[in-house]
Every structure is written in structure tokens, then in C-alpha cells.
């Protein structure tokens, strides 16, 4: 006789509550009660106090308004760690601008959270990443948040520039030979180090070269400003430092929003020169003598090498510019960060003729295949813009109408099958429905085509390489208008980087024998 196993009745397992984490950036202003930490705690706690399906795990709050960099937000980092540890099912935040003001970071972390099975809800924009169609909206809103952050950055920059012009801005970096007064924030002379500064100027005026000065200071065991050995770069900067005569030149360097920091200011931004902002270590007469000596030493010793690669050739290992050397009429290029520095770059040297062969080969290939390459890029961009246009409210309504018409057509088919309507009646109504669907589809297809700046530049590139004939004039046009930079990498490759991130690679060994 077959045995029957009796399984005792058990209570139905209750569904676990969704574990919610709230992320916010709170104000550091004590008078700002709306955005204070206590207000945020009350707000988010109230949302879930009586919820039967969700429970608030924790509130993660970073102080201040600066959100351009995720690295500066410790609480955001803690939130991500808890998400990775499986402690959270859902994240809620006020808006995308609170979550991230950088579109790239915003999408990166949202994708990571989606991969972990965690959804994010943005209250202000009413965007929930649980809905698959939201990523395009997140990109747009992230862009708006980035614009908002740029506006704040511009306002901060304007405040600093006003302080520079009025002479009220304090020095963030203290030059060697000075200290900062804790009470006033002004520069005061450090007697011990000021003696070294004066000695460097005296040695240089006395005829000792920069390299020899560095060697002398190192032999005497005198600590350098950088903490490493004295070198030509450090000495040269000190001899050009206007702060040693009591003046201040503001904005020698500048940084672009979300771009490279501390770029040399060659006139892109306004410079502010203020006299007598602090006590001088060096007299103006001695400073002028040093400048005169430097001017004489910088007199041209030969004809300057003119090359299309100058200022565009970059080291792929350390990021410095490549410099040229002409030994026995054999012009070559090497990384500029290799002379008189403690840890020189050892990236490869490349011959000038090799660069020319590789550049011409790249131009020839794009002349032959450019139409297909650029055409594909342009087509994909247009397809993306088309998708964006189709994501508008109007397009959504049109697609909804099409779906309803198709559903009506399907119902008519069922009625015909069950003989509830005559074939003639069915054909007439289906004919009318198909006509309406065709009209709505044409309406979607006729949405205005937008040409963004990237598409226009790609079309310009396609035209440049289509008209390329191999002449020196054509090569000059490509170098001046299409090539942004050329990167030499230690694996023996040359990367030609064109406008808008397009990159083409040539191997050096292919052209070494030419």
C-alpha cells in the first residue's frame, strides 16, 4: 500500500517590508530650518511611520551644497556600501540635483544600483528607476542638474574674482619663505626660509646657473619646498615668483567646470596683479636683475623647429607634452617630463618622419572609409535624437492612439469570426482604421529633425576627409581643424584623437622602416 506523507499546515509567510534609505544634502546654514538635518529626519520618518509595506532603514545626509564630485560626499559613499552589502532595497531622494550634479556619475550609480536590484525614486521629477523607460529621462534631468551646478560654480567663481580685484582674497597656498598669520590670514615672513630665498637670488645674480644652485642646496642638505630634492623646476619657479617682491598675481591658472584643473592661464581668464599685498623678501631691483638675466639667456640660439605636431603631441604615460630634439638632422620627439626631474618619464621616443607616415596613413584610410565611419556615427546620433523626440508627451499620445486603433481592429476581427458583423462592414471599418494608423505613423515620422553641434561637426569631418587629396595643404587643414591631440603610448601606438572623442590608432612599428 502506498505511503502518504502528511505535511502539517503552516502559517503563510508574511511578505517582508521594503527597506528604504533616504539620501539628502543638508544645509550648513543654522538659519536654514527647511533644509536642516532635523527637518530631513522628520520629513522622511513621517513618510514611512505608518507604512505597512516599507520601512525606513537610515537617512544619509551630506552637508553643504557642493555635489559636483561623489568623492567629497562621505555619506553617499556609506549609502553605496550599505547597498552593496544588501541592507537596502530602495533609495529615495528629493531630486536628481540632490543625488548628483554630474550626469555621468548619476547614471553610473543608478546602473550599479539597478544591477543590485535596488530602485531609486526622485520625488521632484517623479522618476522611478523601476520603470525601464526612465533612463532617457534621467539623462536629460541629469544634464539639467549639471547646468544648475555649473551656474553655482560660475557664481562662486565670480565671487572669487571680485575678491581678487578688490584685494580681499587670502592666499590659499603659502609660498616658500612665508607663513600665514592665524589672526589676519595675511602672509608674514618666515625668517629662516627667507634667508634661503635671498641666497638663491644672490647666487643667480652672481652668475651661478639654476642647475648648479639646486646641486649646491642638495649637497648642504637644505629641505626643499616640495619635500624632495631641489631641482631646476623649483628654482626656476622661485626666481619668477612675484610674491617675493610683495606683489600678488591672481589667476595664473584656472580650471573649467567638470574639466581639467589648474590649466595655465594664457589669457583665457582675466588676471589680477596687486602691488604691496604683503611684506617683500626680495627687492624690486634684484627681481628685475634676475628677469634681465633670464631674458638674455632665453635669446634664440638657432632656428625654431616648426612642426605641425608641436603642442598637439602628448605623452600617453604621464600626460605631459612631447618635446623635439634635432641631433645630426634627425628630428625626434620625446616626453618633456624627463630632464632635471626626480622621477623622469621613460615613455618611448618617436621619429618625426614616423609621425608623418602614420599621420598620412590615418588620413588616407579616412579618405577611403570615412564616409562609412562618419555616416554610421551620424546615423546613430540621428536615431538617438529621434528616440528623444518620440519620448515627448505629444509622441506618447500619438502612440497611445495607434495602440487603441490596433486594439479596435483586433476586436473587429473577433466579431467577424463569431459572425456578429458582416464582412463588408468589417472591411469598411478596417480600411478606415488602417488609414488613421498610417496618418498617425506619418505624424511620428515627420517630427522635426534636430542637428546638434556634434552631428554638424561630424558632417564637417566627413567633408574634410572626403576632399583630402594627400597634399601638404590638405594635411594642414586636417591637423588644424580635425586633430585635437596626438597621444604616444608606451605600447608603441600613436592615437590620433579627432573632434568629439573620435580616435584612430596607428602602430609605430608599421612605419619605422620607411
Amino acid at each position: 500500500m502506498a505511503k502518504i506523507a502528511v505535511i502539517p499546515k503552516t502559517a503563510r509567510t508574511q511578505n517582508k517590508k521594503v527597506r528604504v534609505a533616504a539620501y539628502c544634502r543638508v544645509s550648513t546654514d543654522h538659519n536654514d530650518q527647511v533644509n536642516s538635518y532635523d527637518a530631513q529626519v522628520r520629513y522622511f520618518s513621517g513618510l514611512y511611520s505608518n507604512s505597512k509595506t516599507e520601512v525606513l532603514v537610515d537617512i544619509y545626509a551630506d552637508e553643504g551644497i557642493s555635489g559636483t564630485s561623489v568623492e567629497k560626499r562621505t555619506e553617499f559613499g556609506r549609502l553605496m556600501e550599505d547597498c552593496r552589502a544588501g541592507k537596502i532595497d530602495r533609495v529615495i531622494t528629493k531630486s536628481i540635483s540632490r543625488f548628483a550634479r554630474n550626469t555621468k556619475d548619476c547614471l553610473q550609480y543608478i546602473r550599479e544600483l539597478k544591477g543590485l536590484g535596488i530602485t531609486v525614486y526622485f520625488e521632484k521629477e517623479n522618476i522611478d528607476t523601476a520603470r525601464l523607460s526612465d533612463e532617457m529621462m534621467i539623462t536629460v534631468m541629469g544634464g539639467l542638474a549639471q547646468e544648475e551646478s555649473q551656474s553655482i560654480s560660475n557664481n562662486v567663481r565670480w565671487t572669487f574674482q571680485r575678491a581678487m580685484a578688490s584685494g580681499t582674497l587670502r592666499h590659499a597656498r603659502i609660498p616658500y619663505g612665508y607663513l600665514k598669520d592665524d589672526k589676519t590670514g595675511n602672509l608674514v615672513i618666515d625668517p629662516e626660509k627667507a634667508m634661503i630665498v635671498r641666497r638663491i637670488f644672490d647666487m643667480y645674480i652672481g652668475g651661478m646657473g639654476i642647475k648648479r644652485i639646486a646641486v649646491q642646496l642638495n649637497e648642504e642638505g637644505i629641505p626643499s619646498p616640495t619635500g624632495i630634492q631641489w631641482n631646476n623646476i623649483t628654482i626656476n619657479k622661485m626666481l619668477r615668483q612675484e610674491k617675493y617682491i610683495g606683489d600678488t598675481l591672481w589667476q595664473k591658472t584656472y580650471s573649467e567646470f567638470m574639466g581639467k584643473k589648474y590649466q595655465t592661464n594664457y589669457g583665457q581668464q582675466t588676471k589680477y596683479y596687486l602691488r604691496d599685498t604683503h611684506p617683500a623678501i626680495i627687492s624690486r631691483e634684484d627681481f628685475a636683475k634676475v628677469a634681465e638675466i633670464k631674458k638674455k639667456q632665453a635669446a634664440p640660439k638657432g632656428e625654431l623647429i616648426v612642426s605641425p605636431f608641436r603642442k598637439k603631441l602628448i605623452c600617453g604615460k604621464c600626460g605631459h607634452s612631447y618635446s623635439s630634439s634635432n641631433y645630426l638632422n634627425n628630428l625626434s620627439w620625446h616626453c618633456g617630463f624627463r630632464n632635471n626631474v626626480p622621477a623622469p618619464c621613460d615613455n618611448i621616443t618617436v621619429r618625426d618622419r614616423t609621425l608623418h607616415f602614420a599621420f598620412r596613413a590615418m588620413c588616407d584610410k579616412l579618405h577611403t572609409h570615412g564616409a562609412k565611419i562618419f555616416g554610421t556615427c551620424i546615423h546613430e546620433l540621428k536615431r538617438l535624437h529621434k528616440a528623444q523626440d518620440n519620448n515627448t508627451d505629444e509622441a506618447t499620445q500619438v502612440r497611445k492612439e495607434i495602440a487603441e486603433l490596433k486594439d479596435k481592429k483586433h476586436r473587429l476581427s473577433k466579431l467577424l469570426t463569431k459572425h456578429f458583423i458582416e464582412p463588408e462592414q468589417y472591411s469598411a471599418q478596417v480600411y478606415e482604421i488602417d488609414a488613421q494608423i498610417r496618418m498617425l505613423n506619418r505624424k511620428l515620422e515627420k517630427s522635426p529633425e534636430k542637428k546638434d553641434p556634434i552631428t554638424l561637426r561630424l558632417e564637417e569631418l566627413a567633408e574634410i576627409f572626403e576632399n583630402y587629396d594627400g597634399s601638404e595643404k590638405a594635411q594642414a587643414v586636417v591637423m588644424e581643424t580635425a586633430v585635437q591631440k596626438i597621444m604616444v603610448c608606451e605600447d608603441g601606438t600613436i592615437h590620433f584623437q579627432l573632434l568629439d572623442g573620435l580616435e584612430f590608432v596607428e602602430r609605430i612599428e608599421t612605419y619605422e622602416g620607411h
Side-chain angles (χ1 to χ4, degrees), residues 141-183:
M141 298 306 297
L144 294 176
Q146 189 164 313
E147 287 182 10
E148 179 185 350
S149 182
Q150 184 169 6
S151 177
I152 293 173
S153 175
N154 290 339
N155 290 338
V156 172
R157 187 192 302 272
W158 180 84
T159 302
F160 274 107
Q161 288 175 339
R162 292 280 294 178
M164 291 175 190
S166 63
T168 58
L169 186 65
R170 301 303 178 191
H171 296 86
R173 296 181 180 180
I174 311 304
Y176 183 84
Y178 286 98
L179 297 169
K180 180 181 278 189
D181 188 298
D182 293 334
K183 294 182 179 179

Side-chain angles (χ1 to χ4, degrees), residues 332-398:
S332 61
W333 298 84
H334 59 79
C335 179
F337 194 71
R338 62 187 289 179
N339 299 321
N340 303 311
V341 292
C345 179
D346 60 353
N347 201 2
I348 59 176
T349 298
V350 58
R351 294 190 303 168
D352 186 74
R353 62 182 298 175
T354 300
L355 283 173
H356 277 282
F357 279 121
F359 174 65
R360 287 198 291 269
M362 185 270 295
C363 292
D364 290 337
K365 291 175 183 177
L366 288 179
H367 173 65
T368 305
H369 306 289
K372 181 177 180 181
I373 294 171
F374 298 122
T376 301
C377 295
I378 293 170
H379 173 74
E380 289 300 316
L381 278 173
K382 288 181 177 179
R383 188 176 65 83
L384 176 60
H385 290 310
K386 189 72 175 178
Q388 289 175 330
D389 291 338
N390 286 339
N391 205 34
T392 62
D393 292 339
E394 183 181 355
T396 301
Q397 181 61 34
V398 170

Side-chain angles (χ1 to χ4, degrees), residues 46-225:
L47 280 179
Y48 303 101
S49 58
N50 299 318
S51 177
K52 296 180 180 180
T53 58
E54 296 172 307
V55 59
L56 183 64
V57 174
D58 201 353
I59 296 175
Y60 303 79
D62 283 305
E63 291 187 348
I65 61 170
S66 178
T68 57
S69 174
V70 173
E71 288 79 4
K72 295 181 180 179
R73 295 190 276 154
T74 55
E75 281 293 281
F76 185 86
R78 186 170 72 88
L79 167 67
M80 293 302 300
E81 288 300 317
D82 287 350
C83 288
R84 293 167 186 140
K87 300 178 181 179
I88 296 168
D89 302 315
R90 183 169 174 79
V91 176
I92 183 171
T93 185
K94 285 281 188 180
S95 68
I96 288 179
S97 64
R98 298 284 94 186
F99 187 77
R101 292 188 173 174
N102 177 322
T103 306
K104 179 182 176 182
D105 286 343
C106 184
L107 288 175
Q108 174 189 334
Y109 285 101
I110 286 173
R111 285 179 181 135
E112 181 180 351
L113 291 173
K114 269 196 171 185
L116 296 170
I118 299 169
T119 59
V120 184
Y121 178 63
F122 303 98
E123 286 190 320
K124 179 181 177 181
E125 296 83 9
N126 191 26
I127 295 175
D128 192 338
T129 61
R131 299 195 294 269
L132 297 178
S133 62
D134 280 343
E135 183 157 310
M136 184 66 73
M137 180 62 75
I138 290 167
T139 304
V140 174
M141 298 306 297
L144 294 176
Q146 189 164 313
E147 287 182 10
E148 179 185 350
S149 182
Q150 184 169 6
S151 177
I152 293 173
S153 175
N154 290 339
N155 290 338
V156 172
R157 187 192 302 272
W158 180 84
T159 302
F160 274 107
Q161 288 175 339
R162 292 280 294 178
M164 291 175 190
S166 63
T168 58
L169 186 65
R170 301 303 178 191
H171 296 86
R173 296 181 180 180
I174 311 304
Y176 183 84
Y178 286 98
L179 297 169
K180 180 181 278 189
D181 188 298
D182 293 334
K183 294 182 179 179
T184 65
N186 295 326
L187 295 181
V188 294
I189 294 175
D190 180 339
E192 186 176 344
K193 292 180 180 178
M195 288 178 60
I196 306 300
V197 175
R198 294 189 187 100
R199 186 180 171 197
I200 290 171
F201 274 80
D202 289 341
M203 286 191 288
Y204 189 76
I205 292 172
M208 187 178 290
I210 291 176
K211 186 175 182 179
R212 181 57 195 156
I213 293 173
V215 171
Q216 181 74 29
L217 296 175
N218 288 328
E219 287 178 350
E220 295 179 16
I222 298 173
S224 75

Side-chain angles (χ1 to χ4, degrees), residues 210-280:
I210 291 176
K211 186 175 182 179
R212 181 57 195 156
I213 293 173
V215 171
Q216 181 74 29
L217 296 175
N218 288 328
E219 287 178 350
E220 295 179 16
I222 298 173
S224 75
T226 59
I228 58 177
Q229 287 193 326
W230 292 89
N231 56 60
N232 293 16
I233 296 175
T234 302
I235 300 294
N236 197 35
K237 284 183 178 179
M238 292 178 67
L239 292 173
R240 297 176 183 272
Q241 179 60 269
E242 83 289 339
K243 292 183 180 64
Y244 290 137
I245 57 173
D247 297 347
T248 299
L249 175 60
W250 290 115
Q251 212 151 257
K252 296 177 186 176
T253 61
Y254 72 101
S255 58
E256 295 177 346
F257 178 75
M258 303 300 295
K260 186 178 178 181
K261 291 186 176 181
Y262 308 124
Q263 301 180 71
T264 302
N265 185 3
Y266 292 111
Q268 297 91 333
Q269 300 288 335
T270 303
K271 294 182 181 180
Y272 302 89
Y273 193 97
L274 285 80
R275 291 174 63 92
D276 302 321
T277 56
H278 54 274

